[in-house]
Structure formats: structure tokens, C-alpha cells
Amino acid sequence: MELLERDGALAALAEAHAAATRGEGRAVLVTGEPGIGKTSLVTQFLRRLDPGARSFVGTCDDLSVPRPLGPIRDLVGTISAPLERALTADTTRHDIQGLLIEELELAPRPTVLVIEDVHWADDATLDAITVLGRRIASLPAVLVLTFREGEAPPGHTVRAAVGAIPADVLTVVELAPLSQEAVAALAGDRARQVYAATRGNPFYVTELLACEDATALPPSVANAVLGRASRLDEAARRLVELVSVVPARVKASVLDLAMPGWEAAAEGPERRGLLDVDPVHVRFRHELARHAIRSAIPIAARRRLHGEILDALLAAEADPADLVHHAEAAGAEHVVAEYALVAARRAATVESNREAHSHYLRAADFTDRLPPAEQGAVFEELAATAYLVSRLDDAFAAIDRAIAIYGSLRDNEAVGRCTRALSRFHWFAGDGQAARAKARDAIALLEPLGESVELARAYSAMSQLGMLAEDPEQAFSWGTLALELAGRLGDETTRAHALINIGSALLQIDPKETSKLLEAHAIADAAGDRHEACRALVNLAYTLMLWAKADDALRCGRKALAYAREHEAHAFVGYAEMMIAWLQLRAGEWDEAERAARAEIERRGSVAQLLAKTVLAELAVRRGDADASERLADLAAQADLTREFQRLAPVLELATEWALTTGAPIPAERFDALAEQARLRGAYGGWGASRVAAWAAVAGIDVALGPPAFAPYAAMFERDWLRAADSFGERGWAYDRALMLSLLDDEPALLEALEIARALGAQPLAQRLSARLHDLGFRVPAGPRESTRTNPAGLTARQLEVLALLAEGLTNAEIAERLVVSQRTAEHHVAAVLTKLGATTRREAARRAAELNVSAR
């Protein structure tokens, strides 16, 4: 059929190819409903390229469990020897990704890489797309992805892979159905009937027009496909049915084994437009046609056909994922038993974790055929993959089975190793008490066995839990044991792990102690342990944030996020994004913070989700959302389960803030509990003790803690609310500044705080300030004036005056003199202007005002 109404889409692909020819790589996402013509468009684009142009096409299969790197493995036979060897040898994911990038740089340039049906892609393929997408701008290549929108709900991993592609190098081509005019050009007299039945879907239009009876339309497209198939001879129908049970396409070499002489039988289906045949593959013209044929085959016959394909695949020593798929459909349990574990381990090798998890679940059903030690290994491996894909129920069940099996074999080293993993699972699930209990059990099991890498890791795990619980004594003592043992054994990975725990604990005590974490990052990076290298950066950023070191925290958070993305450390990407979102919230960027937190909630991952829930609860409290109290209660329940100071302190502060702005009770019991934890640390103190003492002063509670040494908490402890407000203002945290100002009895301070609260949409704080002004006998100004609402930055009339004076280059003292106000009040106005404009300097404020077209009147 002629390719109608696709000139714009073809032009977009051609433009991307032209850019790649200049060395400016591009990515193109072709989307649309099934049958809309995505493959036809891409095929037409490839045909229009110059002879000799370099292009590759791989397809993601609709298997029960996708093949790891399936579309990349499809390229074997057409790619360079190094990449082909890596794919056939099951080399690690990172090595394959590096070789794939090198492949796209080979001559002749540019290269077009098409990956079809990415909604069915496995984890390793999505990681490859992520890596290529981030680097595509510097490659002489075009990455073309086809995608069915309806196959991937919000939160689907394919969306994160596509989202990683920079917007300036990504073109989205959304194919629309054919217009009534286009259908009329194809259907002639039957145009109205055809359009009504198909709504312009090109595949449906083609199938209905292919009916031999031109006087009537079949009741469905499936009937149209089946009608054509019914007119085939017996051999051709058998071939069509055999091909229909294979997702996407079947290799000609497999058909040679399953149905010798199939070529002759293929002529009829090819002429009738059912099958496409090339030297390597046979496929249906469209997946919808395949489904129509397959669905009409009786179940028993379908099972037999799967068995025939399975026998051919076994003879061809095919991909284990293909074998398991057809073995299950054929009822060949003995083949599933033999190959599910092979498929699982192959998927795990390239970190295609979802697929590995699915195959391990299958393999677990057949462990009774294995020796006991191998049974334990299968369940241990299943637990690890389940943890990686956040299927904690499966992880707990599998690790318990592994521990029981190893225990029956009296293999205490394996039991200790699995018990340490169980501790980690409990922590990931948010149960800090159970995590610490299992970590101690692991040490008790391993110590009698003598020095080992596993014992060093168990020591370090206990140190990590101490650090997470803000227990520096435990972090230092266990961490030192781990460092010394790992050093004697030459285990750099565990050495880096322990050093991160010690460095984090030091930073929790003193915000200047950053050197140990930077050293640990360098050690882990040099050792190739990207997970630990990333953890060092994340801990550095997070702890600086806890100290309210806003600029340093944001800089380190962005570095951590970039490192995590570069090295595909997915466990840390969400966490780093949530740190940045929390800092954005504090900086007044509420919409951005909310979008990021809600996106994280849609994903799976307990620890990052707890941080996302903290962001959303804080936002709800500050905006006065109807569900604010419910969000706060839910967050408190989850934080209490962790028993970690870093989770509990934000709840305490939010509850105090909620009490101040709404009249809810002060959380006195929480103050007592956290103060007791802080006192147990004695001389260590740290950010936790500082913040509890500071917020106790805000709440008017005596918690018997020493004075904090660092801003802004020292000023809060001393009840110097103006100095505390200034300290928060220097960090760009306007709301926190306004909250501190709300504790003063000074009219200018309260008025400034009211302006900030109204500008942010912080209704509870605005109501508190209005009430305070009224109670003190001061005038309560009306809400934002028209001049405020009509300028993009939301500046008040007075702030516009200040902006004009800033643009003239006046100092705070000169602004105060010009406006006839105190210098302190002028400083407040300048800080408010900078905050609303998102500027960090006076020069940036003037430039930002020009960008927003805000006139200084």
C-alpha cells in the first residue's frame, strides 16, 4: 500500500540523518497505536538512504520473558567481530555497551540503529538505550526507537530510558491515523464503509481492502486475515500457523529444521500479503495479523506447533529464553527445568534483572532435581535478583529457603553470607531493628570460622547500620574492624564500603569532615565498584543537606546524580533525584519538587520512596493541603519503623511546623525520644542533636541538649530568630526564613514573612502571620495587588522598587536611604527579591528580571 500522509515523519527522520552526517547524532521516537505504520515508516526511511548506507535493525520480542539484549543480539552476523564475540560470549553489560558505542562510530558514517517495539524491551536493552541516548549527540549515528504508547503505563522502565535522552537531540514522531481523504484515495467507492470500520488505521484499511469480495466488508479485521489464510493450500496454512506461534519473526534456519521445504509453501502467503520473507527471517506483515491467525488455532494444535518450534530451537542450540518460552507453551517441563536456570544466569550476567528474576522463579520450581548445595545457590541468586527489582516478598522467601538449605548442610559461611543479605533486605524494607538483629547474627556465624572476606563484609554491614542509625560509636568500631580485615585480605571493595560508613559518621558530627568520603569515592571508583563510589557521593550530598549546607549539598547531589546515571547505578538515581527535589522545595521551587517526588512514587523502591514521601509531606504541610495531616501521619509511621535519626528528625520538624501554623499539639513525646537518642551519643553530638535542640527552642521545650555549633541551628537554639532567618535567607530557603521571622514581634519582619508566605502559596504560615500582626495591633495588608499578579515573578510594588534600585547597582545601605527604611528592612526586601527571581547575586537578579520581562517601575 502506498505510504500516505507520512511526508512530515519521513522528513523528521531525514533531518536526523543529515544531522548525524555532520557528527551531531540524533534520536527519533516513533510512536502510535498498533497498525499505525511505525515499521512501514522506518522501512521506507531506510530504503531512501543511499546505497551502501550503514543501518541495523533489531526487534524486541513479545516473549513471556524477553531475551536479554534481544534486539542487539539480532545484529549478530552484520556487526563487527569484537561486538559479535562479546554478544555470543555473554560479556558483561558495560563491555557490550562500550562496544556498541564503538560500533556506531565505524565507517561508513552515519550509522542508523533501529530498535523496534521497545515497549517489550528487557532491562539490559533499556540500559543500552539509556547509555546510547545520553551519548547520541556526540556520535555519528541515528537511534530510531518504535514504541506503542498503550503498552507502557506511567512509571514503566521504558519511559525512564527514553526520558534520559536530552530533549534537544530527541525528535518524537507520533503517527496519526489516515484522514478520510487518504482512505478515499485508497478505497474508492467503499471509502465511507472502510473509514467507519477502521478509523483510518493503515493496517486495518489494508486488510479490509485485500478482501476478495469487494461487495461487502468482513465483520472484523481478524476475519479478513483468516479469510485470506483459508484460501491457502494445506502446506501454506501449516507454515502460516507455525510462524504464528513465534513472536516477531522466526529464523529461516529454524524453519529449515521444523518444516523442511518450507520455501515452496511460503509463496502463497507471501503473494497474499500475509508473510514477508527475506534471506534470514520469515515474519508476518504485521503483529496483528499474527495474533489473528494464532488466536484461531485450537489450543491442542497450538501446543503441538510450539513443540515443533521447540525441537528445532533445541537442535539449533538457540537462546535459552526462546527455549523456555516455547517449552512452557508446549508443556515440556523437562526443558523448562533444564534451561530456566541457564536463562536466569545469562540474564543476570548482563544485569537484565527483571528477566533474570522471572527465570529464577521458574527455575525455583524445579530445584528438587538439583543437589542441595545447588538448590541453596538458586534460592540465594533468586533472592538477589528479587531485591534488585524491589520484589521484597520474593527476596525474603527465597533467602529464607537458602538459609534453611545451607543450614541443613552445616555450611555456616553460606548461612552467614545469606543472613547478611537478609539484614540488607530488612533495611531496604524500612525495618531497622530487624536489620540490625540479622547483621549481628551474621557476625556471630562468621567469626568462629576465622578471617574471611565475608566476615569483613559483615563487620562493614554492621558499621553501615550504625551510621544510618546515627550511632557513631557503632559506625566507627565496626568500620575499623572491617577496614583492618579488608586491608589484610586485599579486599578494596569492602575497604571502600567501610570507609564510606566511617566518613559518613564523621560528616554527621562535623559538616567540615568531607575528606574521608571523597577518599572512599576515589578508592571505590578506582576499584571499579560503581555502586560504592556512587554511595559515597550520595552520602556526602545527603549529610550536607541535613546540615543545611544548601549550595554544597546541591552541587554534590548533582555530581552524585550524574555519576549514577553515567554508570547506570539505578538504585541511587532516584535517591539523588529526591535529594535535589528536597533542596528545590526548600528553595521555593515547589512545582519542580512535587513533579519529581510524584514520579518517584510511581516507581518501585522503598528507600527512595520514603524520601519522596518526605518531600510530599513537607510540601503538603507548607501549602496546607487537605491531606497534609494524613501524609504526615503516614510518613511518621514509616519513619518510626526505620528507627533512623535521618528519617525521624524531618518528621519531628514537620510536626512542629504543623503545630505552629495550625495550632496542632507540639510533638513533645517525639522531642523526648529523639533528645534521649542524642544524649546517648555524648560527646559526638552532630547534626541530629543540633537540629533537635534548635527545633526544641522553636517549640518552647527544654530537651537538655548542649548548644549547636553551626548555623542556622546555633541561632535557633539561642532564640535569635532574626539571625536564624538571615542564615536561612543566605541559603535561599525563603519559607524557612519566613517561619523564623514569624516568631518575632517586629512589624517589618512579620510583613516581609507574610509577603514570602503569600508568594509561595504557604497558606497556613500566611494565616499565622496575619493572626500575629492582628494580635500585635499592626495593620494586616490585603492580598497580592493586581501589579503583583500581573508580573511573572510575583513581585510586590515595593519589591519592584527594590529591583529598580538593584539594577542601578545600589548597595543595601543606599537602598535603605532611598526608600527611607532601616538597613535591616532593606536587606529583607533584597533577599525576598532574590528569592522570588531564583537569583543568587544582585547582577543575576537584574538579568533574570530582564528575561522575565519584569519592568522595574
Side-chain angles (χ1 to χ4, degrees):
M1 185 182 77
E2 183 184 355
L3 206 60
L4 298 177
E5 299 183 331
R6 296 295 185 253
D7 291 346
L10 287 168
L13 287 163
E15 184 179 341
H17 191 265
T21 303
R22 301 190 299 269
E24 303 167 1
R26 294 290 185 269
V28 181
L29 179 67
V30 182
T31 73
E33 65 186 30
I36 203 67
K38 297 182 290 295
T39 298
S40 297
L41 174 73
V42 172
T43 302
Q44 182 79 311
F45 161 64
L46 294 177
R47 285 173 181 164
R48 290 186 177 187
L49 297 178
D50 293 336
R54 196 161 184 262
S55 64
F56 302 112
V57 179
T59 302
C60 302
D61 302 325
D62 187 19
L63 293 172
S64 55
V65 181
R67 293 176 297 145
L69 291 172
I72 311 302
R73 295 184 195 279
D74 283 346
L75 310 183
V76 170
T78 62
I79 50 179
S80 63
L83 179 55
E84 188 160 317
R85 282 195 299 268
L87 288 167
T88 54
D90 289 332
T91 308
T92 65
R93 178 189 64 176
H94 293 292
D95 289 340
I96 290 172
Q97 290 167 357
L99 289 167
L100 183 57
I101 290 171
E102 292 177 11
E103 188 76 25
L104 297 183
E105 294 176 321
L106 296 177
R109 299 177 174 180
T111 299
V112 178
L113 174 59
V114 179
I115 301 179
E116 294 233 59
D117 297 325
V118 293
H119 45 274
W120 290 326
D122 64 285
D123 278 353
T125 296
L126 291 175
D127 282 338
I129 291 171
T130 300
V131 171
L132 291 179
R134 290 191 179 126
R135 291 164 174 75
I136 195 67
S138 62
L139 296 173
V142 181
L143 175 63
V144 181
L145 309 172
T146 69
F147 170 62
R148 290 186 196 171
E149 182 71 30
E151 295 281 349
H156 193 287
T157 48
V158 70
R159 296 187 182 277
V162 173
I165 304 173
D168 59 338
V169 297
L170 174 65
T171 300
V172 178
V173 175
E174 187 171 353
L175 298 181
L178 298 177
S179 67
Q180 294 188 52
E181 292 76 16
V183 173
L186 296 169
D189 294 341
R190 294 193 294 167
R192 182 175 296 180
Q193 289 175 283
V194 170
Y195 185 80
T198 65
R199 293 299 176 188
N201 182 289
F203 170 74
Y204 296 161
V205 170
T206 304
E207 293 304 308
L208 294 186
L209 292 179
C211 295
E212 294 185 0
D213 183 0
T215 63
L217 291 176
S220 70
V221 171
N223 284 350
V225 174
L226 294 173
R228 264 187 294 155
S230 69
R231 288 184 286 274
L232 297 171
D233 62 35
E234 183 177 348
R237 282 200 304 273
R238 179 172 183 273
L239 174 64
V240 167
E241 290 181 349
L242 190 63
V243 174
S244 77
V245 301
V246 183
R249 58 188 178 177
V250 58
K251 286 186 176 180
S253 58
V254 172
L255 285 178
D256 290 338
L257 296 168
M259 187 179 171
W262 63 269
E263 295 94 336
E267 292 180 8
E270 196 174 6
R271 278 198 312 269
R272 292 182 180 275
L274 283 169
L275 297 182
D276 283 338
V277 181
D278 64 41
V280 181
H281 295 99
V282 177
R283 71 171 81 205
F284 274 81
R285 280 193 55 251
H286 198 280
E287 189 72 1
L288 292 172
R290 184 182 77 84
H291 278 292
I293 296 293
R294 181 181 176 276
S295 299
I297 301 172
I299 292 175
R302 199 185 307 166
R303 180 171 170 143
R304 173 180 52 78
L305 291 168
H306 277 290
E308 293 176 18
I309 293 292
L310 175 62
D311 290 341
L313 291 172
L314 286 167
E317 298 181 349
D319 190 296
D322 284 324
L323 294 173
V324 171
H325 174 82
H326 289 286
E328 285 189 323
E333 284 198 353
H334 64 288
V335 178
V336 178
E338 182 176 355
Y339 285 96
L341 186 56
V342 177
R345 286 173 172 163
R346 184 177 190 183
T349 298
V350 294
E351 298 179 58
S352 195
N353 295 317
R354 284 182 301 150
E355 290 66 41
H357 174 246
S358 295
H359 283 306
Y360 272 119
L361 286 175
R362 287 170 166 80
D365 291 335
F366 302 99
T367 52
D368 56 350
R369 306 181 184 207
L370 301 173
E374 184 68 6
Q375 292 179 29
V378 170
F379 284 109
E380 186 177 357
E381 292 165 23
L382 167 57
T385 59
Y387 166 69
L388 289 172
V389 297
S390 300
R391 295 292 298 272
L392 291 182
D393 289 345
D394 288 344
F396 281 119
I399 204 69
D400 285 343
R401 289 284 299 276
I403 289 172
I405 292 169
Y406 288 137
S408 68
L409 296 173
R410 301 182 185 279
D411 185 348
N412 280 356
E413 182 177 3
V415 173
R417 181 179 66 241
C418 290
T419 303
R420 177 175 62 82
L422 180 57
S423 167
R424 183 65 180 174
F425 298 169
H426 278 301
W427 178 82
F428 195 75
D431 191 343
Q433 184 176 16
R436 286 183 282 278
K438 290 303 176 184
R440 286 190 291 269
D441 290 347
I443 292 171
L445 285 160
L446 293 167
E447 276 187 331
L449 304 179
E451 292 189 347
S452 68
V453 168
E454 282 303 327
L455 179 59
R457 290 173 180 170
Y459 285 154
S460 195
M462 199 69 189
S463 171
Q464 182 180 13
L465 290 169
M467 176 270 295
L468 291 168
E470 305 282 331
D471 186 339
E473 184 67 52
Q474 189 181 75
F476 295 146
S477 60
W478 290 111
T480 301
L481 286 174
L483 269 180
E484 292 172 350
L485 181 52
R488 289 196 296 272
L489 298 174
D491 181 3
E492 285 296 280
T493 296
T494 303
R495 183 165 167 263
H497 189 277
L499 197 58
I500 292 170
N501 303 330
I502 292 171
S504 299
L506 285 170
L507 188 60
Q508 289 168 351
I509 297 168
D510 187 337
K512 299 189 294 294
E513 289 283 353
T514 60
S515 59
K516 278 286 190 292
L517 279 173
L518 293 172
E519 178 189 355
H521 168 73
I523 291 172
D525 186 59
D529 190 337
R530 309 304 184 192
H531 183 279
E532 288 306 306
C534 195
R535 186 169 75 95
L537 294 177
V538 167
N539 283 15
L540 177 61
Y542 188 79
T543 311
L544 288 171
M545 181 177 70
L546 294 175
W547 276 113
K549 304 279 286 185
D551 292 340
D552 292 340
L554 185 59
R555 184 182 68 255
C556 292
R558 286 174 173 160
K559 182 178 179 180
L561 180 58
Y563 189 92
R565 284 175 170 166
E566 179 184 357
H567 297 287
E568 286 80 56
H570 299 306
F572 290 110
V573 169
Y575 206 85
E577 288 176 338
M578 287 306 94
M579 282 193 301
I580 292 170
W582 205 350
L583 289 165
Q584 286 177 318
L585 189 159
R586 290 291 172 98
E589 300 170 22
W590 288 7
D591 292 342
E592 293 84 347
E594 183 173 20
R595 276 194 295 270
R598 290 193 182 280
E600 181 60 39
I601 291 293
E602 290 180 354
R603 306 185 192 110
R604 305 182 78 172
S606 301
V607 177
Q609 282 203 344
L610 184 55
L611 198 53
K613 287 187 174 184
T614 305
V615 170
L616 291 175
E618 183 167 305
L619 186 58
V621 165
R622 295 189 168 188
R623 284 192 310 214
D625 293 348
D627 63 348
S629 59
E630 289 80 2
R631 283 190 179 277
L632 185 54
D634 177 63
L635 178 65
Q638 292 196 38
D640 288 345
L641 187 61
T642 69
R643 300 194 177 188
E644 292 178 3
F645 219 105
Q646 61 174 325
R647 315 296 175 199
L648 294 166
V651 172
L652 173 74
E653 295 171 12
L654 273 181
T656 303
E657 187 178 308
W658 185 244
L660 284 175
T661 56
T662 67
I666 291 290
E669 291 183 3
R670 285 191 175 274
F671 272 111
D672 290 342
L674 286 188
E676 178 60 25
Q677 285 191 41
R679 283 192 292 272
L680 290 175
R681 293 174 202 159
Y684 286 114
W687 74 266
S690 295
R691 286 175 66 155
V692 171
W695 279 90
V698 173
I701 293 177
D702 182 8
V703 290
L705 290 173
F710 300 99
Y713 305 114
M716 292 170 67
F717 180 84
E718 294 167 7
R719 292 175 169 77
D720 187 341
W721 309 126
L722 187 56
R723 186 158 60 92
D726 289 343
S727 182
F728 281 121
E730 289 167 4
R731 287 158 173 76
W733 292 5
Y735 179 94
D736 300 83
R737 172 179 173 79
L739 187 65
M740 294 299 103
L741 292 177
S742 78
L743 300 170
L744 293 168
D745 294 337
D746 178 67
E747 183 180 16
L750 294 173
L751 289 172
E752 182 198 343
L754 182 59
E755 280 190 2
I756 293 173
R758 285 174 171 173
L760 288 171
Q763 188 62 25
L765 180 56
Q767 290 174 344
R768 166 183 165 79
L769 287 158
S770 295
R772 293 220 67 220
L773 284 163
H774 181 271
D775 292 345
L776 291 168
F778 301 135
R779 183 183 63 85
V780 179
R785 299 175 183 176
E786 187 61 30
S787 61
T788 302
R789 292 193 296 269
T790 56
N791 73 75
L795 299 175
T796 65
R798 174 50 65 95
Q799 287 166 348
L800 286 169
E801 290 182 70
V802 171
L803 179 59
L805 300 176
L806 277 174
E808 291 179 22
L810 271 63
T811 65
N812 287 350
E814 291 168 336
I815 291 173
E817 183 178 353
R818 184 78 65 86
L819 297 178
V820 194
V821 296
S822 70
Q823 186 170 335
R824 176 70 73 181
T825 299
E827 291 172 358
H828 292 169
H829 286 314
V830 169
V833 169
L834 293 177
T835 297
K836 286 188 178 181
L837 292 177
T840 56
T841 66
R842 304 160 85 87
R843 180 177 297 177
E844 186 182 349
R847 185 172 63 251
R848 179 74 178 129
E851 292 172 359
L852 293 170
N853 197 27
V854 176
S855 59
R857 291 170 286 182

